[in-house]
Short mmCIF file of all heavy atoms in Angstrom, two decimals:
data_model
loop_
_atom_site.label_atom_id
_atom_site.label_comp_id
_atom_site.label_asym_id
_atom_site.label_seq_id
_atom_site.Cartn_x
_atom_site.Cartn_y
_atom_site.Cartn_z
N LEU C 481 14.82 15.57 -7.31
CA LEU C 481 16.13 15.68 -6.63
C LEU C 481 17.13 16.51 -7.42
O LEU C 481 18.25 16.73 -6.94
CB LEU C 481 16.72 14.28 -6.45
CG LEU C 481 15.97 13.42 -5.44
CD1 LEU C 481 16.41 11.98 -5.57
CD2 LEU C 481 16.23 13.94 -4.04
N HIS C 482 16.75 16.93 -8.61
CA HIS C 482 17.74 17.56 -9.49
C HIS C 482 18.43 18.73 -8.81
O HIS C 482 17.81 19.55 -8.16
CB HIS C 482 17.08 18.01 -10.80
CG HIS C 482 16.97 16.86 -11.76
ND1 HIS C 482 18.07 16.25 -12.31
CD2 HIS C 482 15.90 16.19 -12.21
CE1 HIS C 482 17.68 15.26 -13.09
NE2 HIS C 482 16.36 15.18 -13.03
N GLY C 483 19.76 18.73 -8.97
CA GLY C 483 20.53 19.81 -8.37
C GLY C 483 20.98 19.50 -6.95
O GLY C 483 21.81 20.20 -6.39
N CYS C 484 20.41 18.47 -6.34
CA CYS C 484 20.78 18.17 -4.94
C CYS C 484 21.75 17.00 -4.85
O CYS C 484 22.70 17.04 -4.08
CB CYS C 484 19.54 17.86 -4.13
SG CYS C 484 19.05 19.21 -3.07
N VAL C 485 21.46 15.92 -5.56
CA VAL C 485 22.35 14.76 -5.48
C VAL C 485 22.72 14.34 -6.91
O VAL C 485 21.97 14.58 -7.85
CB VAL C 485 21.69 13.56 -4.74
CG1 VAL C 485 21.26 13.95 -3.34
CG2 VAL C 485 20.50 13.00 -5.50
N ALA C 486 23.90 13.71 -7.02
CA ALA C 486 24.37 13.31 -8.36
C ALA C 486 23.53 12.16 -8.90
O ALA C 486 23.29 11.17 -8.20
CB ALA C 486 25.84 12.90 -8.27
N LEU C 487 23.08 12.32 -10.15
CA LEU C 487 22.30 11.28 -10.82
C LEU C 487 23.08 10.79 -12.04
O LEU C 487 23.93 11.53 -12.56
CB LEU C 487 20.96 11.85 -11.31
CG LEU C 487 20.07 12.56 -10.29
CD1 LEU C 487 18.83 13.13 -10.97
CD2 LEU C 487 19.65 11.60 -9.18
N ASP C 488 22.82 9.58 -12.51
CA ASP C 488 23.48 9.15 -13.74
C ASP C 488 22.65 9.64 -14.94
O ASP C 488 21.63 10.31 -14.76
CB ASP C 488 23.75 7.63 -13.74
CG ASP C 488 22.48 6.80 -13.93
OD1 ASP C 488 21.40 7.38 -14.19
OD2 ASP C 488 22.56 5.58 -13.82
N ASP C 489 23.09 9.27 -16.15
CA ASP C 489 22.42 9.84 -17.32
C ASP C 489 20.98 9.35 -17.49
O ASP C 489 20.20 9.93 -18.23
CB ASP C 489 23.25 9.57 -18.60
CG ASP C 489 23.56 8.09 -18.74
OD1 ASP C 489 23.25 7.33 -17.79
OD2 ASP C 489 24.11 7.68 -19.78
N LYS C 490 20.61 8.27 -16.77
CA LYS C 490 19.20 7.82 -16.86
C LYS C 490 18.38 8.31 -15.68
O LYS C 490 17.22 7.94 -15.52
CB LYS C 490 19.18 6.29 -16.89
CG LYS C 490 19.84 5.73 -18.15
CD LYS C 490 19.36 4.30 -18.37
CE LYS C 490 19.78 3.79 -19.72
NZ LYS C 490 20.96 2.95 -19.70
N GLY C 491 19.01 9.07 -14.79
CA GLY C 491 18.26 9.61 -13.65
C GLY C 491 18.36 8.79 -12.39
O GLY C 491 17.74 9.13 -11.37
N PHE C 492 19.11 7.66 -12.40
CA PHE C 492 19.28 6.87 -11.18
C PHE C 492 20.29 7.57 -10.26
O PHE C 492 21.22 8.25 -10.72
CB PHE C 492 19.76 5.45 -11.53
CG PHE C 492 18.68 4.64 -12.18
CD1 PHE C 492 18.55 4.60 -13.57
CD2 PHE C 492 17.76 3.94 -11.41
CE1 PHE C 492 17.54 3.87 -14.17
CE2 PHE C 492 16.74 3.20 -12.01
CZ PHE C 492 16.63 3.17 -13.39
N ILE C 493 20.11 7.37 -8.94
CA ILE C 493 20.93 8.10 -7.96
C ILE C 493 22.26 7.39 -7.76
O ILE C 493 22.29 6.19 -7.49
CB ILE C 493 20.18 8.19 -6.61
CG1 ILE C 493 18.80 8.80 -6.80
CG2 ILE C 493 21.00 8.99 -5.59
CD1 ILE C 493 17.86 8.63 -5.60
N LYS C 494 23.34 8.16 -7.86
CA LYS C 494 24.66 7.57 -7.64
C LYS C 494 24.98 7.58 -6.14
O LYS C 494 24.70 8.57 -5.46
CB LYS C 494 25.72 8.37 -8.40
CG LYS C 494 25.62 8.22 -9.91
CD LYS C 494 26.51 9.23 -10.57
CE LYS C 494 27.51 8.59 -11.47
NZ LYS C 494 28.44 9.57 -12.06
N THR C 495 25.58 6.50 -5.68
CA THR C 495 25.92 6.40 -4.26
C THR C 495 27.32 5.80 -4.10
O THR C 495 27.85 5.16 -5.02
CB THR C 495 24.94 5.46 -3.51
OG1 THR C 495 24.92 4.21 -4.19
CG2 THR C 495 23.56 6.03 -3.41
N GLY C 496 27.89 5.98 -2.90
CA GLY C 496 29.15 5.34 -2.50
C GLY C 496 30.19 5.30 -3.60
O GLY C 496 30.54 6.35 -4.17
N PRO C 497 30.71 4.10 -3.91
CA PRO C 497 31.81 3.99 -4.86
C PRO C 497 31.46 4.43 -6.28
O PRO C 497 32.35 4.67 -7.08
CB PRO C 497 32.15 2.48 -4.85
CG PRO C 497 31.19 1.82 -3.95
CD PRO C 497 30.31 2.82 -3.31
N ASP C 498 30.17 4.56 -6.60
CA ASP C 498 29.78 5.03 -7.94
C ASP C 498 30.02 6.52 -8.13
O ASP C 498 29.96 7.03 -9.25
CB ASP C 498 28.28 4.77 -8.17
CG ASP C 498 28.03 3.38 -8.71
OD1 ASP C 498 29.02 2.71 -9.09
OD2 ASP C 498 26.85 2.95 -8.71
N LEU C 499 30.24 7.22 -7.02
CA LEU C 499 30.40 8.69 -7.12
C LEU C 499 31.84 9.01 -7.51
O LEU C 499 32.78 8.59 -6.84
CB LEU C 499 30.07 9.35 -5.78
CG LEU C 499 28.58 9.36 -5.41
CD1 LEU C 499 28.39 9.57 -3.91
CD2 LEU C 499 27.84 10.45 -6.20
N SER C 500 32.00 9.76 -8.59
CA SER C 500 33.34 10.14 -9.04
C SER C 500 33.81 11.38 -8.27
O SER C 500 32.99 12.06 -7.62
CB SER C 500 33.31 10.45 -10.53
OG SER C 500 32.48 11.58 -10.73
N GLN C 501 35.09 11.69 -8.38
CA GLN C 501 35.62 12.91 -7.76
C GLN C 501 34.89 14.13 -8.31
O GLN C 501 34.60 15.07 -7.58
CB GLN C 501 37.14 13.03 -8.03
CG GLN C 501 38.00 12.09 -7.19
CD GLN C 501 37.67 12.20 -5.69
OE1 GLN C 501 37.42 13.28 -5.16
NE2 GLN C 501 37.64 11.06 -5.00
N GLU C 502 34.55 14.07 -9.61
CA GLU C 502 33.85 15.21 -10.23
C GLU C 502 32.46 15.37 -9.61
O GLU C 502 32.02 16.49 -9.33
CB GLU C 502 33.68 15.00 -11.75
CG GLU C 502 34.97 15.01 -12.56
CD GLU C 502 35.75 13.71 -12.41
OE1 GLU C 502 35.15 12.63 -12.59
OE2 GLU C 502 36.95 13.75 -12.07
N ASP C 503 31.77 14.23 -9.40
CA ASP C 503 30.43 14.31 -8.77
C ASP C 503 30.53 14.98 -7.41
O ASP C 503 29.71 15.84 -7.05
CB ASP C 503 29.85 12.90 -8.55
CG ASP C 503 29.48 12.19 -9.84
OD1 ASP C 503 29.09 12.88 -10.79
OD2 ASP C 503 29.60 10.95 -9.88
N LEU C 504 31.55 14.54 -6.63
CA LEU C 504 31.68 15.07 -5.26
C LEU C 504 32.06 16.54 -5.29
O LEU C 504 31.53 17.35 -4.51
CB LEU C 504 32.71 14.25 -4.48
CG LEU C 504 32.31 12.78 -4.25
CD1 LEU C 504 33.39 12.04 -3.47
CD2 LEU C 504 30.98 12.70 -3.48
N ALA C 505 32.92 16.89 -6.22
CA ALA C 505 33.34 18.30 -6.32
C ALA C 505 32.14 19.14 -6.73
O ALA C 505 31.88 20.21 -6.15
CB ALA C 505 34.48 18.43 -7.33
N ALA C 506 31.36 18.64 -7.69
CA ALA C 506 30.20 19.41 -8.17
C ALA C 506 29.19 19.61 -7.05
O ALA C 506 28.54 20.66 -6.96
CB ALA C 506 29.55 18.68 -9.34
N ALA C 507 29.05 18.60 -6.19
CA ALA C 507 28.07 18.71 -5.09
C ALA C 507 28.66 19.44 -3.89
O ALA C 507 27.95 19.67 -2.90
CB ALA C 507 27.61 17.32 -4.68
N GLY C 508 29.96 19.77 -3.95
CA GLY C 508 30.60 20.46 -2.82
C GLY C 508 30.70 19.56 -1.61
O GLY C 508 30.45 19.99 -0.47
N TRP C 509 31.05 18.27 -1.80
CA TRP C 509 31.20 17.31 -0.69
C TRP C 509 32.15 17.90 0.35
O TRP C 509 33.31 18.15 0.07
CB TRP C 509 31.73 15.97 -1.23
CG TRP C 509 31.93 14.93 -0.17
CD1 TRP C 509 33.10 14.61 0.45
CD2 TRP C 509 30.93 14.09 0.40
NE1 TRP C 509 32.89 13.62 1.38
CE2 TRP C 509 31.56 13.27 1.37
CE3 TRP C 509 29.55 13.94 0.22
CZ2 TRP C 509 30.87 12.33 2.13
CZ3 TRP C 509 28.87 12.99 0.97
CH2 TRP C 509 29.53 12.20 1.91
N PRO C 510 31.68 18.11 1.58
CA PRO C 510 32.48 18.91 2.52
C PRO C 510 33.37 18.10 3.47
O PRO C 510 34.09 18.69 4.27
CB PRO C 510 31.39 19.62 3.33
CG PRO C 510 30.24 18.65 3.34
CD PRO C 510 30.35 17.82 2.11
N LEU C 511 33.29 16.77 3.43
CA LEU C 511 33.94 15.97 4.47
C LEU C 511 35.23 15.33 3.97
O LEU C 511 35.41 15.11 2.77
CB LEU C 511 32.98 14.85 4.94
CG LEU C 511 31.60 15.32 5.41
CD1 LEU C 511 30.72 14.13 5.76
CD2 LEU C 511 31.72 16.25 6.60
N SER C 512 36.11 14.97 4.95
CA SER C 512 37.36 14.31 4.56
C SER C 512 37.11 12.83 4.25
O SER C 512 37.83 12.23 3.47
CB SER C 512 38.41 14.45 5.67
OG SER C 512 37.86 13.97 6.87
N ARG C 513 36.05 12.24 4.86
CA ARG C 513 35.76 10.83 4.55
C ARG C 513 35.04 10.73 3.20
O ARG C 513 34.38 11.67 2.76
CB ARG C 513 34.92 10.19 5.66
CG ARG C 513 33.51 10.73 5.77
CD ARG C 513 32.60 9.81 6.60
NE ARG C 513 31.30 10.41 6.81
CZ ARG C 513 30.28 10.32 5.97
NH1 ARG C 513 30.41 9.66 4.83
NH2 ARG C 513 29.11 10.90 6.24
N ALA C 514 35.14 9.52 2.62
CA ALA C 514 34.40 9.26 1.37
C ALA C 514 32.95 8.95 1.74
O ALA C 514 32.66 8.59 2.89
CB ALA C 514 35.03 8.07 0.66
N PRO C 515 32.02 9.06 0.79
CA PRO C 515 30.63 8.71 1.11
C PRO C 515 30.52 7.24 1.51
O PRO C 515 31.24 6.39 1.00
CB PRO C 515 29.90 8.95 -0.22
CG PRO C 515 30.77 9.87 -1.00
CD PRO C 515 32.17 9.59 -0.58
N TYR C 516 29.59 6.96 2.45
CA TYR C 516 29.33 5.58 2.83
C TYR C 516 28.72 4.84 1.63
O TYR C 516 28.27 5.47 0.65
CB TYR C 516 28.34 5.51 4.00
CG TYR C 516 28.84 6.10 5.30
CD1 TYR C 516 28.08 7.06 5.98
CD2 TYR C 516 30.05 5.70 5.85
CE1 TYR C 516 28.52 7.60 7.19
CE2 TYR C 516 30.49 6.24 7.06
CZ TYR C 516 29.72 7.19 7.72
OH TYR C 516 30.16 7.72 8.90
#
Side-chain angles (χ1 to χ4, degrees):
L481 291 166
H482 278 294
C484 256
V485 303
L487 306 177
D488 73 7
D489 54 353
K490 295 200 170 99
F492 289 92
I493 305 166
K494 290 169 123 184
T495 54
D498 274 349
L499 288 160
S500 65
Q501 285 308 321
E502 293 76 51
D503 291 327
L504 295 180
W509 180 262
L511 306 176
S512 54
R513 68 164 174 86
Y516 296 128

